[in-house]
């Protein structure tokens, strides 16, 4: 289909699209589709401010429309980056609008413009300035209508963490694009998901957004694999997460980093907070400065130079060497004792039980965490009517706990906002 949309209540002719097109291969399609196009052989040109306003107004109207799906609030942007037969990687299309800063970020993340790119992978994701980006890479075969394109990346920007959902949706949109060679049919599917949570096509089947529950995304990794690799040392990661410390994870293969890091927030299941996850970070100032605005995080790197950046981590994990090290500045806070040994034994025993599922392993660790939080709550006192229970270092010292346990509980009280100030 190469024309205006057929979605009830939505005319694509009236929908503002941010399009930039490399020479030759898109010109004829644009003329036949009725969609406005601006050529930008070198870079995507900035859009006029009035058009930005139209996009924002349209998105707001759609989000507020009766029957709009949850995706209308979560899914923000979609765009295309292509690498042509001359080796140039360019933005060619986005909807409704992606800022220049985010376009540059996604160009860097897709890695299509690297002179000597590392082995290409099909799907990756990350977080920047509290927004999630998802990138699906497609290799263009010779029979495709995209004659002058070798690869393209479909990028989605959203507010929520759900790799499985956005991988499936990206795959659906990519298939539509490679079949038609035009963004128009693809944006129809995109808007269908925004408005109804579903898109259908004969060649791609049906994508249903509600099939991808966020809880499943939280439990899709393997804690068993983490404990299998690091054994009792896994308790260092657990302790760092409980105390909201900074964890940097390195491996030269980004897919290994992403698979490992996505599991770690489940070690502190009582928080169910995946906003601490930053699985794909480059060592450039914009990204590291954004990372530093987060009080505690899990950051993934494929550049080994991160080991020389102690300003970015309290705990450094080298997956290639199966090693965990604690920075000098965090050694006191992460001193381990008898309590940590008990936690480590719970982890190892749970993961070594072949009859236990991943969710059961998470539950076993969570039960132990609840016990620790209960101990902390039992030591805390309500100082004034209506106040939350709080605890001071002096109160902890009166309990005559082992030094490592006292230190851990004090740090944990601060992390859980239970410290009396």
């Amino acid at each position: 289909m190469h024309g205006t949309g057929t979605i009830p209540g939505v005319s694509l002719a009236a929908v503002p699209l941010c399009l930039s097109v490399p020479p030759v291969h898109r010109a004829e399609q644009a003329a036949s589709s009725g969609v406005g196009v601006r050529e930008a052989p070198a870079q995507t040109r900035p859009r006029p401010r009035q058009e930005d306003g139209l996009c924002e107004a349209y998105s707001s109207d759609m989000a507020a429309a009766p029957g709009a799906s949850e995706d209308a609030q979560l899914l923000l942007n979609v765009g295309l980056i292509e690498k042509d037969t001359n080796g140039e990687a360019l933005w060619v299309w986005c909807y409704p609008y992606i800022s220049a800063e985010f376009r540059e970020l996604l160009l860097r993340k897709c890695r299509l413009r690297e002179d000597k790119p590392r082995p290409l992978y099909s799907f990756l994701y990350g977080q920047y300035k509290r927004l999630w980006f998802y990138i699906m890479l497609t290799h263009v075969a010779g029979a495709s209508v995209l004659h002058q394109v070798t690869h393209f990346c479909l990028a989605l920007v959203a507010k929520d963490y759900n790799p499985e959902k956005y991988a499936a949706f990206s795959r659906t949109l990519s298939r539509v694009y490679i079949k038609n060679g035009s963004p128009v049919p693809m944006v129809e599917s995109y808007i269908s998901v925004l408005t109804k949570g579903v898109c259908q096509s004969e060649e791609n089947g049906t994508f249903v957004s509600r099939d991808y529950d966020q809880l499943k995304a939280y439990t899709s990794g393997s804690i068993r694999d983490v404990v299998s690799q690091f054994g009792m040392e896994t308790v260092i990661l657990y302790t760092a997460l409980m105390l909201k410390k900074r964890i940097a994870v390195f491996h030269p293969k980004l897919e290994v980093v992403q698979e490992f890091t996505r599991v770690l927030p489940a070690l502190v299941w009582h928080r169910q907070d995946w906003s601490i996850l930053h699985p794909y970070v480059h060592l450039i100032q914009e990204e590291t400065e954004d990372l530093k605005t987060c009080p505690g995080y899990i950051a993934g790197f494929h550049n080994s130079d991160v080991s020389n950046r102690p300003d970015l981590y309290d705990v450094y994990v080298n997956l290639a060497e199966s090693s965990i090290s604690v920075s000098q500045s965090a050694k006191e806070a992460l001193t381990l004792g008898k309590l940590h040994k008990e936690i480590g034994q719970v982890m190892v025993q749970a993961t070594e039980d072949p009859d236990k599922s991943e969710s059961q392993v998470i539950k076993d660790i969570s039960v132990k965490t609840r016990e620790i939080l209960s101990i902390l709550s039992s030591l805390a006192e309500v100082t004034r009517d209506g106040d939350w229970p709080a605890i001071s270092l002096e109160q902890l010292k009166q309990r005559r706990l082992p030094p490592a346990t006292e230190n851990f509980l004090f740090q944990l009280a601060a992390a859980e906002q239970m410290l009396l100030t």
Side-chain angles (χ1 to χ4, degrees):
M1 188 188 318
H2 295 273
T4 56
T6 58
I7 299 172
V10 178
S11 170
L12 288 184
V15 175
L17 303 177
C18 168
L19 294 172
S20 62
V21 181
V24 186
H25 96 270
R26 192 76 79 247
E28 293 181 1
Q29 295 168 356
S32 64
S33 69
V35 177
V37 173
R38 288 185 296 280
E39 294 195 2
Q43 285 186 322
T44 303
R45 298 176 184 174
R47 300 191 324 148
R49 295 310 305 169
Q50 71 221 37
E51 190 174 343
D52 293 352
L54 284 172
C55 286
E56 291 165 5
Y58 180 82
S59 298
S60 298
D61 289 345
M62 180 173 289
S69 74
E70 183 183 3
D71 297 280
Q73 283 76 44
L74 299 177
L75 193 53
L76 300 178
N77 315 101
V78 60
L80 280 171
I81 304 168
E82 293 182 351
K83 187 169 187 176
D84 61 25
T85 52
N86 296 320
E88 282 191 282
L90 300 169
W91 271 97
V92 297
W93 176 84
C94 64
Y95 169 78
Y97 174 63
I98 298 179
S99 69
E101 180 186 17
F102 238 88
R103 289 200 300 270
E104 180 61 27
L105 174 86
L106 294 170
L107 263 176
R108 179 166 63 249
K109 297 302 182 184
C110 78
R111 299 169 70 180
L112 288 181
R113 61 181 180 182
E114 294 183 7
D115 292 333
K116 295 180 180 179
R118 293 175 175 84
L120 295 174
Y121 27 79
S122 61
F123 182 71
L124 53 84
Y125 58 92
Q127 186 185 182
Y128 181 67
K129 293 192 172 179
R130 308 299 191 273
L131 295 177
W132 290 94
F133 59 85
Y134 302 90
I135 301 174
M136 175 69 68
L137 172 73
T138 300
H139 173 72
V140 179
S144 171
V145 295
L146 302 171
H147 302 300
Q148 298 186 27
V149 177
T150 62
H151 301 81
F152 70 85
C153 286
L154 185 136
L156 295 170
V157 181
K159 294 179 181 178
D160 61 324
Y161 167 81
N162 200 322
E164 282 69 34
K165 178 176 79 171
Y166 291 115
F169 188 34
S170 297
R171 195 175 300 113
T172 296
L173 295 180
S174 296
R175 288 171 179 166
V176 171
Y177 184 61
I178 203 168
K179 177 178 184 292
N180 296 276
S182 166
V184 176
M186 187 174 66
V187 81
E188 293 177 355
S189 296
Y190 179 85
I191 293 176
S192 179
V193 169
L194 281 185
T195 55
K196 297 183 291 185
V198 177
C199 67
Q200 296 176 308
S201 66
E202 292 181 3
E203 62 273 6
N204 295 310
T206 302
F207 169 82
V208 182
S209 181
R210 68 172 178 270
D211 288 345
Y212 299 90
D213 181 70
Q214 193 165 59
L215 191 63
K216 292 181 181 178
Y218 289 168
T219 58
S220 289
S222 175
I223 288 181
R224 183 174 270 107
D225 288 348
V226 173
V227 178
S228 176
Q229 182 171 3
F230 290 103
M232 287 291 288
E233 279 196 307
T234 308
V235 78
I236 299 174
L237 302 176
Y238 171 87
T239 305
L241 289 164
M242 286 290 284
L243 302 186
K244 298 184 178 180
K245 299 298 183 181
R246 303 165 303 162
I247 300 174
V249 180
F250 161 74
H251 194 281
K253 294 182 179 179
L254 186 58
E255 59 270 32
V256 175
V257 174
Q258 298 204 320
E259 192 63 28
F260 182 88
T261 55
R262 71 173 299 174
V263 179
L264 298 185
L267 290 174
V268 284
W269 184 257
H270 67 290
R271 293 182 187 141
Q272 294 193 27
D273 182 12
W274 264 252
S275 70
I276 64 174
L277 179 60
H278 300 258
Y280 184 12
V281 182
H282 279 88
L283 287 174
I284 64 170
Q285 185 175 356
E286 305 96 278
E287 294 190 38
T288 57
E289 289 302 313
D290 176 59
L291 198 60
K292 288 179 179 180
T293 63
C294 308
Y297 54 74
I298 304 156
F301 301 85
H302 62 281
N303 185 340
S304 61
D305 289 345
V306 67
S307 64
N308 301 319
R309 293 291 305 273
D311 60 310
L312 294 178
Y313 63 83
D314 300 303
V315 174
Y316 176 64
V317 183
N318 187 326
L319 292 177
E321 298 179 0
S322 295
S323 66
I324 298 176
S325 57
V326 179
S327 70
Q328 193 62 39
S329 62
K331 283 187 181 296
E332 182 179 355
L334 296 176
T335 300
L336 305 183
K338 181 182 177 181
L339 179 61
H340 299 89
K341 183 178 180 180
E342 293 174 3
I343 299 165
Q345 289 172 341
V346 168
M347 291 182 185
V348 172
Q349 290 169 5
T351 55
E352 286 180 348
D353 187 341
D355 295 328
K356 288 191 174 181
S357 64
E358 282 294 324
S359 59
Q360 289 173 319
V361 171
I362 292 172
K363 183 177 180 180
D364 283 0
I365 298 170
S366 182
V367 167
K368 186 62 180 178
T369 300
R370 293 290 182 187
E371 289 178 9
I372 295 168
L373 293 173
S374 294
I375 293 171
L376 190 62
S377 295
S378 70
L379 299 175
E381 297 178 359
V382 177
T383 56
R384 292 187 302 271
D385 290 343
D387 280 358
W388 289 100
I391 192 168
S392 67
L393 180 58
E394 289 72 21
Q395 289 172 312
L396 281 173
K397 288 185 177 297
Q398 290 173 7
R399 303 287 178 165
R400 299 184 182 277
L401 300 167
T405 301
E406 177 188 287
N407 180 58
F408 173 63
L409 292 177
F410 177 72
Q411 301 283 342
L412 181 59
E416 295 291 330
Q417 299 182 336
M418 294 176 62
L419 193 61
L420 188 62
T421 57

